[in-house]
Amino acid sequence: MTALLRYHSALFLRSQRWLAPLLLYAALVAVGVRPGDPVLGSLGIAAAGLVPVSAWTVRIFLTQEPAAARAVVAAAAGRCRAHLAALLAGAGWAVLAGAAAACAVTATGGLAGTSGPAALLAGLLATTACALTGGAVGALAARPFVRAPGWSVAALLLGSLAALVTTGSPAKHAVTALVADGGGARPPWAACTAALLLAAVTATASRWAAARLE
């Protein structure tokens, strides 16, 4: 699995496809967060912006291989393992981007009513929840479920919006826990746990579909 993760990550970096989602996320954070703003609200904004970016990143990982290369990797490592590696690598890069943003926001935000470590923990949990929720959206909006690029992008955008506004969504719960928090940081453990379960279920369904539909 480690070799597959490195393979997918190398494709991602060499193709420079990481530039577009990274620049989008940087722009969202730069526009929505200002130094000195309340740190919990800023962390909530940074976490919310990660949902579409994570969905986009996972979709890139699932679609970046040429058909011939995908067939070779599937024959060598197994279609399910190769598909799972692409999902894990895409979600992992999104989590790393969210963690970097959470550290930067915590370092520059106003800490009135909370402490730096508590705010950072809450921010890391929220960004993880949003990254995994966005990753689930990206998995459902890409092959093998949606093959046409136009429909795939539309599904990605609508799914990301739904993940941010739908009651019961782990991402919405995590962001609300930070933005609406008037006191000390309350780490969104429940939202992060729910996002992990959602990601596991989505990955299982995606692997099953990849094994039978491709």
Side-chain angles (χ1 to χ4, degrees), residues 6-213:
R6 292 176 59 187
Y7 163 72
H8 284 292
S9 296
L11 283 180
F12 181 63
L13 294 175
R14 290 174 183 172
S15 69
Q16 297 185 358
R17 294 183 180 182
W18 56 272
L19 278 171
L22 179 63
L23 290 176
L24 172 63
Y25 188 49
L28 290 173
V29 174
V31 170
V33 177
R34 292 179 299 178
D37 284 350
V39 68
L40 296 182
S42 297
L43 286 169
I45 293 172
L50 194 59
V51 172
V53 172
S54 177
W56 189 1
T57 301
V58 168
R59 182 185 178 277
I60 289 175
F61 270 86
L62 291 175
T63 59
Q64 65 180 346
E65 288 179 283
R70 185 163 61 248
V72 171
V73 173
R79 192 175 301 277
C80 287
R81 283 173 56 85
H83 193 81
L84 178 60
L87 289 172
L88 292 175
W93 279 99
V95 170
L96 286 177
C103 291
V105 170
T106 303
T108 59
L111 296 174
T114 186
S115 65
L120 179 59
L121 174 61
L124 290 175
L125 290 173
T127 54
T128 299
C130 288
L132 293 178
T133 303
V137 172
L140 295 175
R143 49 167 285 270
F145 298 110
V146 184
R147 298 179 182 275
W151 287 112
S152 178
V153 172
L156 187 150
L157 293 175
L158 292 175
S160 298
L161 178 61
L164 288 171
V165 302
T166 302
T167 301
S169 166
K172 183 177 187 297
H173 180 75
V175 172
T176 301
L178 295 183
V179 174
D181 195 341
R186 294 191 297 268
W189 291 104
C192 194
T193 302
L196 284 169
L197 292 174
L198 175 63
V201 171
T202 304
T204 301
S206 186
R207 288 178 63 194
W208 180 88
R212 285 159 178 78
L213 300 179

